[in-house]
Amino acid sequence: MITRTLPTVVILAALAACSSSRVAPEEEVTRERRTVVRYTGNELQALVSFGWADSHLGDEWLVLAVWLSGGWTATTVIDRSAILIRGPDGARFPLLSQQAFREAYPDVLTALGAVDFSYPPGRGFTGDRRPCSRWFLAGPLETFAYNTIDVSPFQFCSGPLVFLAPGGVQPGEWTLEIDLQESKVRIPFVLGKEARPGG
């Protein structure tokens, strides 16, 4: 009886070791370039380019280029209402609604044209991913804006995120906040050379 139990114990221990090696890593934020940060979490991977905002302090519009992809789960659903930006003073600003974006389009057109989408998302994500055709904001000549997007380990969606910052975009640490079903994503980045150590 002892000889029959021992292999079972060994097999269970081996299975436990294998399952623990597959546990997704804790969330991590790393700086890819001076104005690009990468977030890796269980539900989401993201690249955030903040070059325009960094060079246009004082503007009332904060414009980011963002790539979003699934993390370790099969599919991650992201709702526009769950996306906020938090400023250095702790104030939070929501992502513009589609209607507000259309109304502000003439004011943000220059920023949208200059936002850096040239950074290859493949260098920030693990594995091959194909682009999707959905995003939260759509210009007057584009098709549809979506209230939710779905990303997976095999797909990424990308586009601009635009926030109205009353009083102007100030130097200091900003945080892109995205609340998901099982986690709260927090992606900090620093605007302004004087606020960046060694900058």
Side-chain angles (χ1 to χ4, degrees), residues 142-179:
E142 296 172 313
T143 53
F144 298 104
Y146 294 87
N147 289 325
T148 62
I149 60 172
D150 304 335
V151 292
S152 75
F154 310 103
Q155 186 177 54
F156 70 89
C157 297
S158 61
L161 295 183
V162 182
F163 305 88
L164 176 61
V169 176
Q170 302 300 314
E173 183 173 286
W174 291 75
T175 303
L176 178 62
E177 302 184 350
I178 306 174
D179 290 348

